[in-house]
Amino acid sequence: MSATTAPITTRKAPAPPGHQRWPAAVWALLATTLLARGFGFAYPFLSYHLRHLGFTTQTVGQAIAVFGTGWLLGQVLTGWASDRLGRRRTLVAAMTTAALCLPLLAQAHTATAVYAGSLIAGIVYDAPRPVVSAVIADLIPDDAQRAAINGWRHGTVNIGAAITGAAGGLLAGQLGFEALFWFNAAACALCALIAHRYLAADAPTATSRNPASSSLRSTLRDPRLWLLWAASNGALICAAGMFTTLPILMEHDNLPPSAYGWTQLANAAAVIALTPVLTPWLSRRCGHERPMLGMLSASALLLGAGMGSAGLADSTIGYSLAVMVAVPGEIVFFIAASDVLNKISPADARGLYAGLWGSTLAIGVIISPVLTATSLTTGGATLAALTTLASGVAGAALCLPLIGLTHHRPALTAPTTPLPAVT
């Protein structure tokens, strides 16, 4: 069955998601996500490291752009590989590559070596994302339980990001920036060991009968995937602003770097407080036949309004409040988008679908600071606020044709991998 004709998959829960214990592999993947994010120093501290080595601003900017390009490509490559080569094999290979590459990037002293290292590091930086999405879809046939897992997974990502900022600054001050890359590499090596230990061994499946080129072609022809991709870009340009454009806006208002740290603390506090409240409610909504497109549209609007209001702030409290307004939209977005993705993804292309959709975060990270900087230069903070709001509105509007496409698909139950014995 091609991706363009695949029915929306759904399965009703026999019991609330809290009544079923999660497989050990799911816990292992949440631990991997926390490790990869919590010790993911390579991206946020790469510019500091390169400046410390004496590279020019132009070289640093180009290295960051190359890293972002690798991040985007890596989502698609690892998603495709997880379908064709296997989940465990792909994740172990990506994390092992990261463990070997990051120390070399730390030792790079020529522009060519920096660019090459940045590209490879970017490819494997967020490699767990599409693999984890595919494994959760494989192991958990119930939509509500998937949503619960994805809610806590998103909370884990945010907690990891908070650890990265706090621990990275402390370690860099004590041991230097180069040490951060070694810590990042060690965490990736541990992720590879966890994946090898707890993920099921890859074996030939029915999906291997379909040529890779056929699977790719059918995926690229699915209009639902591309509408979800476009809508997610609109929302994630806003969400990425929490850690890419806030420093630009706050520097424009002559606020010290410590002020940005307070906004990230507010972000983490809001995520920790709201995730246990919103996740059970959203999980129950995921049990319906239709994807959560209404919630996805609302989350894009909330992200646009929250991060758009940051353009009107001029104090640490104002920026922190803007972030806290946007956080509920961020939580709803990742659960709702994952629900839509799971319901439109055919079983033989879950990794590829997750990889293509996962590229939206990399695109948001690339576009968000450029959009804000251009707006500040040409029209000031008010224009920056309006362009961010417009991005959220565009993401919400793109959900409308997606609603039409999904409602015209038959709501049938597709075959899913049975839930294995749990621990």
Short mmCIF file of all heavy atoms in Angstrom, two decimals, residues 159-201:
data_model
loop_
_atom_site.label_atom_id
_atom_site.label_comp_id
_atom_site.label_asym_id
_atom_site.label_seq_id
_atom_site.Cartn_x
_atom_site.Cartn_y
_atom_site.Cartn_z
N ILE A 159 14.10 19.26 29.88
CA ILE A 159 14.95 19.12 31.07
C ILE A 159 16.41 18.96 30.64
O ILE A 159 17.31 19.56 31.23
CB ILE A 159 14.49 17.92 31.91
CG1 ILE A 159 13.11 18.20 32.51
CG2 ILE A 159 15.50 17.62 33.01
CD1 ILE A 159 12.48 17.00 33.18
N GLY A 160 16.62 18.16 29.59
CA GLY A 160 17.98 18.00 29.08
C GLY A 160 18.57 19.31 28.60
O GLY A 160 19.75 19.60 28.83
N ALA A 161 17.76 20.12 27.90
CA ALA A 161 18.25 21.41 27.42
C ALA A 161 18.63 22.33 28.58
O ALA A 161 19.62 23.07 28.51
CB ALA A 161 17.18 22.07 26.55
N ALA A 162 17.85 22.28 29.66
CA ALA A 162 18.17 23.10 30.83
C ALA A 162 19.49 22.63 31.46
O ALA A 162 20.32 23.45 31.87
CB ALA A 162 17.04 23.02 31.86
N ILE A 163 19.69 21.30 31.51
CA ILE A 163 20.95 20.76 32.03
C ILE A 163 22.12 21.21 31.16
O ILE A 163 23.19 21.58 31.66
CB ILE A 163 20.88 19.22 32.11
CG1 ILE A 163 19.84 18.79 33.15
CG2 ILE A 163 22.25 18.64 32.44
CD1 ILE A 163 19.58 17.30 33.15
N THR A 164 21.91 21.18 29.84
CA THR A 164 22.97 21.58 28.91
C THR A 164 23.45 22.99 29.20
O THR A 164 24.65 23.26 29.29
CB THR A 164 22.48 21.50 27.46
OG1 THR A 164 22.10 20.16 27.17
CG2 THR A 164 23.57 21.93 26.49
N GLY A 165 22.50 23.92 29.33
CA GLY A 165 22.87 25.31 29.57
C GLY A 165 23.58 25.51 30.90
O GLY A 165 24.61 26.19 30.98
N ALA A 166 23.02 24.92 31.96
CA ALA A 166 23.59 25.12 33.29
C ALA A 166 24.92 24.40 33.45
O ALA A 166 25.93 25.00 33.85
CB ALA A 166 22.60 24.64 34.36
N ALA A 167 24.95 23.10 33.13
CA ALA A 167 26.16 22.32 33.31
C ALA A 167 27.25 22.74 32.32
O ALA A 167 28.44 22.78 32.66
CB ALA A 167 25.86 20.83 33.14
N GLY A 168 26.85 23.08 31.09
CA GLY A 168 27.83 23.49 30.09
C GLY A 168 28.60 24.73 30.49
O GLY A 168 29.83 24.80 30.36
N GLY A 169 27.87 25.73 30.97
CA GLY A 169 28.54 26.96 31.41
C GLY A 169 29.49 26.70 32.57
O GLY A 169 30.61 27.23 32.61
N LEU A 170 29.08 25.86 33.52
CA LEU A 170 29.91 25.56 34.68
C LEU A 170 31.15 24.77 34.27
O LEU A 170 32.28 25.10 34.68
CB LEU A 170 29.09 24.76 35.70
CG LEU A 170 29.82 24.33 36.97
CD1 LEU A 170 30.26 25.55 37.76
CD2 LEU A 170 28.91 23.44 37.83
N LEU A 171 30.97 23.74 33.45
CA LEU A 171 32.10 22.91 33.04
C LEU A 171 33.08 23.68 32.17
O LEU A 171 34.30 23.51 32.29
CB LEU A 171 31.59 21.68 32.28
CG LEU A 171 30.84 20.63 33.12
CD1 LEU A 171 30.21 19.59 32.22
CD2 LEU A 171 31.79 19.98 34.12
N ALA A 172 32.54 24.53 31.28
CA ALA A 172 33.42 25.33 30.43
C ALA A 172 34.28 26.26 31.26
O ALA A 172 35.47 26.46 30.96
CB ALA A 172 32.59 26.12 29.42
N GLY A 173 33.69 26.83 32.30
CA GLY A 173 34.45 27.73 33.16
C GLY A 173 35.55 27.03 33.92
O GLY A 173 36.61 27.59 34.18
N GLN A 174 35.29 25.76 34.29
CA GLN A 174 36.27 25.01 35.09
C GLN A 174 37.28 24.24 34.24
O GLN A 174 38.47 24.18 34.59
CB GLN A 174 35.53 24.03 35.99
CG GLN A 174 34.62 24.67 37.01
CD GLN A 174 35.38 25.47 38.05
OE1 GLN A 174 36.46 25.07 38.49
NE2 GLN A 174 34.83 26.62 38.44
N LEU A 175 36.82 23.66 33.13
CA LEU A 175 37.67 22.76 32.35
C LEU A 175 37.96 23.23 30.93
O LEU A 175 38.81 22.64 30.26
CB LEU A 175 37.00 21.37 32.29
CG LEU A 175 36.68 20.71 33.64
CD1 LEU A 175 35.89 19.42 33.43
CD2 LEU A 175 37.95 20.44 34.42
N GLY A 176 37.27 24.25 30.47
CA GLY A 176 37.47 24.72 29.10
C GLY A 176 36.44 24.15 28.15
O GLY A 176 35.80 23.13 28.43
N PHE A 177 36.30 24.80 27.00
CA PHE A 177 35.27 24.39 26.03
C PHE A 177 35.57 23.03 25.41
O PHE A 177 34.65 22.27 25.09
CB PHE A 177 35.15 25.45 24.92
CG PHE A 177 34.58 26.75 25.41
CD1 PHE A 177 35.37 27.89 25.48
CD2 PHE A 177 33.26 26.83 25.80
CE1 PHE A 177 34.85 29.09 25.93
CE2 PHE A 177 32.72 28.02 26.25
CZ PHE A 177 33.51 29.16 26.32
N GLU A 178 36.85 22.71 25.23
CA GLU A 178 37.19 21.44 24.61
C GLU A 178 36.65 20.26 25.40
O GLU A 178 36.22 19.25 24.84
CB GLU A 178 38.71 21.33 24.45
CG GLU A 178 39.16 20.11 23.69
CD GLU A 178 40.67 20.09 23.49
OE1 GLU A 178 41.24 21.15 23.14
OE2 GLU A 178 41.26 19.01 23.69
N ALA A 179 36.64 20.39 26.73
CA ALA A 179 36.16 19.30 27.57
C ALA A 179 34.69 19.01 27.32
O ALA A 179 34.25 17.85 27.47
CB ALA A 179 36.37 19.65 29.05
N LEU A 180 33.91 20.03 26.92
CA LEU A 180 32.49 19.81 26.66
C LEU A 180 32.27 18.80 25.54
O LEU A 180 31.34 18.00 25.59
CB LEU A 180 31.82 21.14 26.29
CG LEU A 180 31.81 22.23 27.36
CD1 LEU A 180 31.06 23.46 26.86
CD2 LEU A 180 31.20 21.73 28.66
N PHE A 181 33.13 18.84 24.53
CA PHE A 181 33.00 17.91 23.41
C PHE A 181 33.30 16.48 23.85
O PHE A 181 32.70 15.52 23.35
CB PHE A 181 33.91 18.34 22.26
CG PHE A 181 33.46 19.60 21.59
CD1 PHE A 181 33.77 20.84 22.14
CD2 PHE A 181 32.73 19.56 20.42
CE1 PHE A 181 33.35 22.02 21.53
CE2 PHE A 181 32.31 20.72 19.80
CZ PHE A 181 32.62 21.96 20.35
N TRP A 182 34.24 16.32 24.78
CA TRP A 182 34.55 14.99 25.29
C TRP A 182 33.41 14.44 26.13
O TRP A 182 33.07 13.25 26.05
CB TRP A 182 35.85 15.03 26.10
CG TRP A 182 37.06 15.14 25.23
CD1 TRP A 182 37.72 16.28 24.86
CD2 TRP A 182 37.76 14.06 24.59
NE1 TRP A 182 38.78 15.98 24.04
CE2 TRP A 182 38.83 14.62 23.86
CE3 TRP A 182 37.59 12.67 24.59
CZ2 TRP A 182 39.72 13.85 23.12
CZ3 TRP A 182 38.47 11.90 23.85
CH2 TRP A 182 39.52 12.49 23.14
N PHE A 183 32.80 15.31 26.95
CA PHE A 183 31.62 14.88 27.72
C PHE A 183 30.49 14.49 26.78
O PHE A 183 29.79 13.49 27.01
CB PHE A 183 31.17 15.99 28.67
CG PHE A 183 31.99 16.10 29.92
CD1 PHE A 183 32.80 17.19 30.16
CD2 PHE A 183 31.94 15.09 30.88
CE1 PHE A 183 33.55 17.29 31.32
CE2 PHE A 183 32.69 15.18 32.05
CZ PHE A 183 33.50 16.28 32.27
N ASN A 184 30.26 15.29 25.75
CA ASN A 184 29.22 14.99 24.76
C ASN A 184 29.50 13.65 24.09
O ASN A 184 28.59 12.82 23.91
CB ASN A 184 29.17 16.12 23.74
CG ASN A 184 27.87 16.18 22.95
OD1 ASN A 184 27.53 17.19 22.35
ND2 ASN A 184 27.11 15.10 22.92
N ALA A 185 30.76 13.41 23.73
CA ALA A 185 31.13 12.15 23.08
C ALA A 185 30.90 10.96 24.01
O ALA A 185 30.39 9.91 23.59
CB ALA A 185 32.59 12.20 22.65
N ALA A 186 31.26 11.12 25.29
CA ALA A 186 31.06 10.03 26.24
C ALA A 186 29.58 9.71 26.41
O ALA A 186 29.18 8.54 26.50
CB ALA A 186 31.67 10.40 27.59
N ALA A 187 28.73 10.75 26.43
CA ALA A 187 27.30 10.54 26.55
C ALA A 187 26.76 9.80 25.32
O ALA A 187 25.91 8.91 25.44
CB ALA A 187 26.57 11.88 26.71
N CYS A 188 27.26 10.14 24.15
CA CYS A 188 26.82 9.46 22.92
C CYS A 188 27.24 7.99 22.93
O CYS A 188 26.49 7.11 22.50
CB CYS A 188 27.38 10.16 21.69
SG CYS A 188 26.64 11.78 21.37
N ALA A 189 28.45 7.71 23.42
CA ALA A 189 28.90 6.33 23.52
C ALA A 189 28.00 5.53 24.47
O ALA A 189 27.64 4.38 24.20
CB ALA A 189 30.34 6.29 24.01
N LEU A 190 27.60 6.17 25.57
CA LEU A 190 26.69 5.50 26.51
C LEU A 190 25.32 5.27 25.87
O LEU A 190 24.69 4.22 26.07
CB LEU A 190 26.55 6.35 27.77
CG LEU A 190 25.70 5.76 28.91
CD1 LEU A 190 26.20 4.37 29.30
CD2 LEU A 190 25.71 6.70 30.12
N CYS A 191 24.86 6.23 25.06
CA CYS A 191 23.60 6.06 24.34
C CYS A 191 23.67 4.86 23.41
O CYS A 191 22.70 4.09 23.28
CB CYS A 191 23.27 7.32 23.53
SG CYS A 191 22.74 8.73 24.52
N ALA A 192 24.80 4.70 22.72
CA ALA A 192 24.97 3.56 21.82
C ALA A 192 24.89 2.25 22.60
O ALA A 192 24.26 1.27 22.14
CB ALA A 192 26.30 3.67 21.09
N LEU A 193 25.51 2.19 23.78
CA LEU A 193 25.47 0.98 24.59
C LEU A 193 24.06 0.68 25.08
O LEU A 193 23.62 -0.48 25.07
CB LEU A 193 26.42 1.13 25.79
CG LEU A 193 27.92 1.17 25.46
CD1 LEU A 193 28.72 1.47 26.72
CD2 LEU A 193 28.37 -0.15 24.83
N ILE A 194 23.33 1.72 25.49
CA ILE A 194 21.95 1.53 25.95
C ILE A 194 21.08 1.01 24.82
O ILE A 194 20.29 0.08 24.99
CB ILE A 194 21.39 2.86 26.51
CG1 ILE A 194 22.11 3.23 27.81
CG2 ILE A 194 19.89 2.74 26.76
CD1 ILE A 194 21.73 4.60 28.34
N ALA A 195 21.23 1.61 23.63
CA ALA A 195 20.43 1.18 22.48
C ALA A 195 20.74 -0.28 22.12
O ALA A 195 19.83 -1.06 21.83
CB ALA A 195 20.70 2.09 21.28
N HIS A 196 22.01 -0.64 22.16
CA HIS A 196 22.39 -2.02 21.83
C HIS A 196 21.86 -3.00 22.86
O HIS A 196 21.47 -4.13 22.52
CB HIS A 196 23.92 -2.13 21.75
CG HIS A 196 24.39 -3.47 21.25
ND1 HIS A 196 24.64 -4.52 22.10
CD2 HIS A 196 24.64 -3.92 19.99
CE1 HIS A 196 25.04 -5.57 21.39
NE2 HIS A 196 25.04 -5.24 20.11
N ARG A 197 21.79 -2.56 24.10
CA ARG A 197 21.35 -3.46 25.17
C ARG A 197 19.83 -3.63 25.20
O ARG A 197 19.33 -4.75 25.41
CB ARG A 197 21.84 -2.91 26.53
CG ARG A 197 21.25 -3.58 27.75
CD ARG A 197 21.65 -5.04 27.87
NE ARG A 197 21.10 -5.66 29.07
CZ ARG A 197 19.87 -6.14 29.17
NH1 ARG A 197 19.05 -6.08 28.13
NH2 ARG A 197 19.44 -6.69 30.29
N TYR A 198 19.08 -2.57 24.99
CA TYR A 198 17.65 -2.62 25.25
C TYR A 198 16.76 -2.66 24.01
O TYR A 198 15.59 -3.04 24.12
CB TYR A 198 17.23 -1.43 26.13
CG TYR A 198 17.72 -1.58 27.55
CD1 TYR A 198 18.86 -0.92 27.99
CD2 TYR A 198 17.04 -2.39 28.46
CE1 TYR A 198 19.31 -1.05 29.29
CE2 TYR A 198 17.49 -2.53 29.76
CZ TYR A 198 18.62 -1.86 30.17
OH TYR A 198 19.07 -2.01 31.45
N LEU A 199 17.26 -2.26 22.86
CA LEU A 199 16.44 -2.36 21.65
C LEU A 199 16.54 -3.77 21.08
O LEU A 199 17.59 -4.40 21.14
CB LEU A 199 16.88 -1.35 20.60
CG LEU A 199 16.67 0.13 20.93
CD1 LEU A 199 16.94 0.99 19.71
CD2 LEU A 199 15.27 0.40 21.46
N ALA A 200 15.43 -4.23 20.53
CA ALA A 200 15.41 -5.57 19.94
C ALA A 200 16.36 -5.64 18.75
O ALA A 200 16.53 -4.66 18.02
CB ALA A 200 14.00 -5.92 19.50
N ALA A 201 16.99 -6.79 18.57
CA ALA A 201 17.89 -6.96 17.44
C ALA A 201 17.13 -6.80 16.13
O ALA A 201 15.99 -7.25 15.99
CB ALA A 201 18.54 -8.35 17.50
#
